[in-house]
Amino acid sequence: MTDAEIELSRIPAAGPLYRRAAIGLAPGFGPARRGDRLPDQELVVRGVTVDRDHLTGYDQVCGFRLADALPPTYPHVLAFPLALRLMSAPEFPLPLVGLVHVANRITVHRRIDAAEPLDLSVRAVDLRPHDRGRQFDVLCTASVGTEVVWRGVSTYLRRERGGTESARPEHGAAADGRREAGEQRTPPVPSALWRVPSRVGRDYARVSGDRNPIHTSRIAARLFGFPGPIAHGMWSKARCLAALEGRLPDAYEVEVAFKLPLPLPGTVAFHAAPAWTFALHDPGRGRPYLVGGVASI
């Protein structure tokens, strides 16, 4: 174990971490001055086992078939409380409340059986300028013994005044999907139309631990500038992958960009192309909510 590695005995509860982050915003309770560097820490929990009832609930909320193999987005949910603990710590340079999840990339190295205990690790890297503020990546890894079976990279943005135009050029499957689907003047003909009920925000919060109130409360959503609750980005990604289930390769990378908030309730147009790009659009105005793609590895 290195000085930067902190091994925890169990996955922390997400609820107290959200409450700590919210209290930290109140005058006199937050840190007087946050640093400008990401903490040199890697949080690790070993031997995490899957609760089959929880997995069943997750599958049902996201549209996956009930199976012994983990859905590609499920390890993200397992590791999410570790990411919360990291980002809600007083020494973290950006407050958790107000962070925007703008992109996610998952690499599935092989099928993961639900009976396999997983070692999970999480760290934050690459705090960098963005034209609307600052952004960084949270890296998550799931291993079975010494074998890395899954990786996830979540990119978060903190909107701030005085951003810079030095944002990095986009690349990879999500950028390809954006060019093909998200930035066309006329969106592609949908493969399906999905009705997304308002309960999706509450249901996904329950199975994911992501209880950010912008997904469940109209009042909280309005405080952050939304007319009403919005769907979780990772629910949107999971729902797209559930629609592609059975056609995905054994090992692959799937990358998405979260373009616009998906209002709840709402109707979305799902489009999947033969080149393994996919997107969610507003069926009326054609605006993209999510664009992405899959690439074999």
Side-chain angles (χ1 to χ4, degrees):
M1 177 182 295
T2 67
D3 292 340
E5 183 178 298
I6 300 174
E7 185 169 338
L8 306 179
S9 59
R10 62 182 181 274
I11 298 292
L17 296 174
Y18 268 120
R19 288 193 289 273
R20 182 172 73 178
I23 291 172
L25 289 179
F29 287 90
R33 180 185 180 276
R34 292 179 181 268
D36 56 4
R37 298 179 62 185
L38 295 171
D40 183 21
Q41 294 180 357
E42 182 174 26
L43 302 183
V44 178
V45 177
R46 305 188 191 279
V48 176
T49 57
V50 172
D51 182 308
R52 294 297 184 120
D53 290 337
H54 181 267
L55 176 60
T56 296
Y58 179 85
D59 287 341
Q60 292 172 336
V61 170
C62 298
F64 290 106
R65 294 177 298 192
L66 303 184
D68 289 330
L70 298 186
T73 47
Y74 191 73
H76 173 90
V77 167
L78 292 178
F80 182 70
L82 287 175
L84 275 185
R85 171 162 172 162
L86 191 69
M87 294 188 290
S88 63
E91 66 270 19
F92 202 80
L94 303 173
L96 174 64
V97 177
L99 290 177
V100 181
H101 193 184
V102 295
N104 177 267
R105 182 172 73 252
I106 284 172
T107 304
V108 178
H109 291 284
R110 68 158 172 82
R111 177 187 184 274
I112 307 173
D113 192 278
E116 295 182 282
L118 298 174
D119 295 341
L120 302 175
S121 66
V122 170
R123 59 193 176 101
V125 300
D126 198 12
L127 181 62
R128 56 196 184 270
H130 186 273
D131 59 355
R132 289 178 291 170
R134 287 182 290 173
Q135 65 180 17
F136 64 94
D137 298 326
V138 173
L139 309 185
C140 301
T141 301
S143 303
V144 176
T146 59
E147 179 191 12
V148 175
V149 294
W150 181 96
R151 294 183 190 273
V153 181
S154 293
T155 301
Y156 291 92
L157 169 70
R158 173 69 180 183
R159 292 193 176 100
E160 298 172 329
R161 294 181 179 179
T164 174
E165 295 296 332
S166 61
R168 298 179 181 177
E170 294 172 330
H171 59 86
D176 293 341
R178 180 179 297 100
R179 285 189 289 269
E180 179 169 329
E183 294 180 350
Q184 294 180 2
R185 292 185 178 180
T186 303
V189 176
S191 307
L193 292 176
W194 298 335
R195 179 65 179 168
V196 186
S198 59
R199 71 172 185 273
V200 160
R202 299 186 298 274
D203 289 347
Y204 188 79
R206 173 175 49 82
V207 297
S208 70
D210 186 350
R211 298 184 180 275
N212 188 328
I214 64 172
H215 304 298
T216 58
S217 165
R218 182 174 298 275
I219 294 174
R222 286 180 173 175
L223 288 175
F224 283 91
F226 304 108
I230 60 174
H232 296 74
M234 288 303 294
W235 175 86
S236 301
K237 180 173 185 175
R239 183 65 185 88
C240 290
L241 291 175
L244 300 174
E245 199 172 16
R247 292 178 281 168
L248 295 170
D250 292 334
Y252 58 93
E253 182 177 273
V254 54
E255 185 178 7
V256 302
F258 304 116
K259 296 290 287 179
L260 291 172
L262 196 166
L264 296 174
T267 299
V268 296
F270 170 71
H271 171 77
W276 286 107
T277 58
F278 56 90
L280 292 179
H281 286 88
D282 179 330
R285 302 174 63 181
R287 301 183 306 166
Y289 297 123
L290 171 153
V291 293
V294 178
S296 298
I297 58 172

